[in-house]
Amino acid sequence: MKNPETIAAYEALYKRVSVNVFNGVVTWKPRPASDFANKTLSKRWNSRFSGASVGYKNGTRSGPGVKFMGFNLSIARLVARRLWGKKSYDRFLSYADGDPNNLSYGNLSLTSWSERRKKLPGTNKWGYAGVSVGKGPGFLATCVVDGKKHYIGT
């Protein structure tokens, strides 16, 4: 995630929530009256949302999320931010059990782009799908789209 506005939104949201990394529950902290136009709105918001779970179910693929400052933000990113700090913004999240709704500490891990893309088929000693030795020096990159093999380059 390289977008500075998105990172700023995550940081602003991170200051307003409490993250329990052991069970993956993210709840709203009480907000000060200075966040609102008047004290009535502050009291109403705090009585309704303070201590409540943050976010909504965002489907099975991406896990729970929340709309904040005009961005759709991942609750898993908040848990990762709590666990690994700001470096978690440059990495991808992996789920050990494959369930993006399970945000507990034991289920989340950070992976780099190369680790995420890496596959280890038994026939490929380089460990990357679509990479083979070319006719000349170097490697040959291919991909399969709609059942047709396409050559990407060397």
Side-chain angles (χ1 to χ4, degrees), residues 1 7 10-11 14 21 76-91 93 110:
M1 173 185 353
I7 292 175
Y10 271 111
E11 287 299 309
Y14 184 72
V21 295
R77 279 274 167 217
L78 292 173
V79 177
R81 167 69 172 84
R82 174 72 170 88
L83 288 169
W84 297 291
K86 291 184 181 183
K87 74 175 185 176
S88 65
Y89 295 138
D90 296 331
R91 303 280 181 111
L93 289 174
L110 288 180

Side-chain angles (χ1 to χ4, degrees), residues 7-17 68-69:
I7 292 175
Y10 271 111
E11 287 299 309
L13 180 59
Y14 184 72
K15 292 176 185 174
R16 290 176 170 86
V17 297
F68 187 75
M69 291 176 57

Side-chain angles (χ1 to χ4, degrees), residues 24-50:
V25 174
V26 179
T27 56
W28 289 107
K29 290 180 184 175
R31 289 175 63 186
S34 61
D35 281 1
F36 299 93
N38 58 49
K39 286 186 179 184
T40 304
L41 292 175
S42 172
K43 287 180 184 178
R44 187 180 301 155
W45 191 95
N46 283 322
S47 66
R48 185 171 179 193
F49 295 110
S50 181

Side-chain angles (χ1 to χ4, degrees), residues 78-115:
L78 292 173
V79 177
R81 167 69 172 84
R82 174 72 170 88
L83 288 169
W84 297 291
K86 291 184 181 183
K87 74 175 185 176
S88 65
Y89 295 138
D90 296 331
R91 303 280 181 111
F92 292 95
L93 289 174
S94 296
Y95 306 95
D97 66 0
D99 180 13
N101 292 313
N102 180 1
L103 303 178
S104 63
Y105 173 73
N107 192 42
L108 290 176
S109 64
L110 288 180
T111 56
S112 67
W113 176 251
S114 61
E115 290 169 332

